[in-house]
Amino acid sequence: MRVLLAEDHHVLARTVAAGLRRVAIAVDVAASGDVAERLALLNDYDVVVLDRDLPVLSGDAVCRTLRALDEPPRIMMLTAATATSERVYGLEDLGADDYLAKPFDFAELVARIRTLSRRAPAPAPPALRSRGICLDLARREVQVAGQPVELTAKEFDVLRLLMEAHGEPVSHQELINEVWDRHLDPRTSTVRTTVSRLRAKLAGRAVVSADTGAGYRLC
């Protein structure tokens, strides 16, 4: 899951982003409305957590722009405006999918984000199958040759991308963008380490680096 957090309170933004990463949610952070809008138009986010009171461009304006897209992300308004009329305005007039007032409980924020991410406009296939591997998207479970394999959240997401590529290479940067987030140093060994652990757990169903250096693929 990939989330955009648009919040201009730097301490709060850092704290929330760190907490989301600890529960295996990739997150990008924007401190102003114009940056949030640019990132949301460039990237495919499952959920955008949007403070209404952003500098440069208001969260309300960003919400309107995103709702006008053919396939908009799910939008949660995050704001100190707690009056019922404000909530109704955010949900009905702006078209937000959810509305969470500050201060909030972090566990509730995570639960709401996960709930929003499940409201996909098109249902995902129940499972991916390739080379004796069965990946259950709904249950986030993996079997190899009929035997269950325990994967971490990152290993599962890497395997999903590789299986969705149907044997075509997935680049190092694509894995960073989809499984981690744009703040991860592209020179990091994290991706290689995760792929190495995944290869070992697949018991011979190898995930290998493409000879051309284009990335990783199932073969």
Side-chain angles (χ1 to χ4, degrees), residues 169-176 191 214-216:
V170 180
S171 73
H172 183 88
Q173 190 60 51
E174 285 178 302
L175 289 177
I176 288 177
V191 176
Y216 303 93

Side-chain angles (χ1 to χ4, degrees), residues 165-200:
H166 302 292
E168 294 298 316
V170 180
S171 73
H172 183 88
Q173 190 60 51
E174 285 178 302
L175 289 177
I176 288 177
N177 290 344
E178 295 298 326
V179 179
W180 285 270
D181 59 60
R182 67 189 181 95
H183 295 292
L184 188 68
D185 187 339
R187 297 168 296 181
T188 182
S189 63
T190 299
V191 176
R192 290 190 296 274
T193 300
T194 301
V195 171
S196 178
R197 290 199 310 264
L198 177 60
R199 182 187 293 116

